[in-house]
Amino acid sequence: MNAELEYTVMQHRAVELRQAAAEQRRVREAANGRRSERRNRSVFAKFLSS
């Protein structure tokens, strides 16, 4: 394969990997946020019910 084409393919793959990593990070942060919200709500619910 010619060098310019290999370089272009590598750049495209790197962009795809960065996008996938960013998406995974967003999913993890969203899951962590929901989990902490649930925990906070349950603490508040316990406080309000006592």
Side-chain angles (χ1 to χ4, degrees), residues 1-48:
M1 210 185 316
N2 120 12
E4 289 90 7
L5 184 56
E6 284 186 35
Y7 182 70
T8 303
V9 169
M10 266 197 311
Q11 282 183 320
H12 183 67
R13 183 68 180 136
V15 167
E16 288 178 337
L17 289 172
R18 279 195 296 274
Q19 288 172 344
E23 179 65 24
Q24 284 180 337
R25 206 167 31 252
R26 282 192 293 271
V27 168
R28 260 196 321 273
E29 288 171 357
N32 287 342
R34 280 195 304 270
R35 196 166 32 247
S36 66
E37 285 175 17
R38 273 199 308 272
R39 188 168 40 245
N40 289 343
R41 277 198 304 267
S42 67
V43 168
F44 292 135
K46 289 177 186 175
F47 176 74
L48 291 174

